[in-house]
Amino acid sequence: MDAATLVDKYVMNTYGRAPITFVQGQGTQLWDSQGNQYTDFLAGIAVVNLGHAHPEVTEAVCEQAARLVHVSNLYYTEPQARVAELLVENSFADKVFFCNSGAEANEGALKLARLWGKNKMKGAFTIITMERSFHGRTLGTLSATGQDKIQKGYDPLVPRFKHVPYGDLEAVKAVWDDNVCAVLVEPVLGEGGVVVPPDGYLPGLRELCDSHGALLMFDEVQTGLGRTGKLFAHEHFGVKPHVMTLAKALANGLPAGAVLADVEAAEMFGPGSHATTFGAGPVVMAAAGVVLENLVNGGLVEHAEATGYYFKAQLEGLAAKYPKVVTQVRGLGLLLGLALNMAAGPLVVRLREMGYIVGAAQDTVIRFAPPLVVTQGDIDGLVAALDQALAEI
């Protein structure tokens, strides 16, 4: 039996899979088992930022796997130390906790916030998050997520989350009380439809948290690591958080997550308060080291910023050409959304038939998150295909 038949027979049915079996990737290109070639404008949903099968990542992983694959976090390893140094020296943070995924990183941030409330705010325990946000699928992070479709069927949820409209500072103020210990927010809403917040929103949240002694926590699982044309998306808005979570692109496709915090927040965790078995294993950290070196010293963030401007301008040209279908182009860098006045699904399928992999967000938005190595030629090809697909409507 082929892979699709085996998966459908033996794997739990939690994904609506497209009828394609991918067998190879290189840069922005993917090939399926039938030999068909695709240009990847989703990167595993903002994961493979350096592109598929990046030679430096492959070399680092193979070399590390031949030396040491795993020891527990009761001991030190050199790859973990180097990645921690790169993250801290290039961010607001003083300390980092490593884990395996975005959900695990956000779960760690939520636990950190609860300890902060208990130790610094007389037992405060409420965490404010945003409507249409997405923070993961563990029971804690789906409770934090502001989408009914993610939470459906899992009642009772973890209590003491308050959800308010994204981008509305007054709505946060309206629900604030003495039990609030933290605000968790995406600097740019990803799964929620690729939404950039209004000016002053994130700085306003920081001021509000500071005035009450609460933590401001940025979920940069999707937006971090060069995706928006800055190393971290919050740099666009001139504001720093107390806590930040990362994952997705951290190890270019290998499972890695991280919670970064300033020194006061980081001190909430001590030996035995939080842990992970596989987090920051040597092989994964070897890959993450290559990712961060390329972002910090390799010019990849600057490339993402420049190509992001070009890409957005091309999409805005299509929006002007098809005003009855395209309602808005939004996003930053290489996290862009094309908002439609119709369901995005049929266009996603049509583009796939034309050799382009894109995604949908919030049903009516096409989400673009290509590898950061994407070229203007790749973008021109996608825009031409999208032009044809829109003309067919």
Side-chain angles (χ1 to χ4, degrees), residues 81-162:
R82 177 58 178 151
V83 173
E85 179 185 36
L86 283 166
L87 284 173
V88 169
E89 294 300 320
N90 291 284
S91 73
F92 72 96
D94 299 299
K95 298 282 187 178
V96 57
F97 170 83
F98 289 111
C99 51
N100 302 281
S101 68
E104 192 180 350
N106 283 329
E107 195 78 36
L110 297 175
K111 291 177 69 176
L112 197 66
R114 285 290 177 89
L115 290 176
W116 179 268
K118 182 179 181 64
N119 296 324
K120 297 281 190 177
M121 300 184 68
K122 300 179 180 179
F125 45 69
T126 298
I127 300 172
I128 296 175
T129 65
M130 308 305 153
E131 295 174 2
R132 296 167 61 189
S133 63
F134 180 80
H135 300 296
R137 293 181 184 272
T138 63
L139 194 57
T141 57
L142 73 83
S143 300
T145 292
Q147 299 188 49
D148 292 342
K149 67 178 183 181
I150 305 296
Q151 300 171 338
K152 186 178 181 181
Y154 294 108
D155 298 83
L157 303 177
V158 175
R160 304 304 181 185
F161 287 99
K162 289 185 177 180

Side-chain angles (χ1 to χ4, degrees), residues 166-218:
Y166 185 78
D168 188 343
L169 187 59
E170 295 305 315
V172 178
K173 294 177 180 176
V175 301
W176 200 288
D177 61 30
D178 290 341
N179 280 321
V180 174
C181 64
V183 173
L184 174 63
V185 61
E186 297 162 86
V188 175
L189 211 55
E191 174 66 23
V194 190
V195 179
V196 179
D199 292 342
Y201 176 62
L202 296 178
L205 289 178
R206 173 72 197 224
E207 184 177 344
L208 189 59
C209 287
D210 286 345
S211 66
H212 289 85
L215 295 179
L216 177 60
M217 308 195 297
F218 286 162

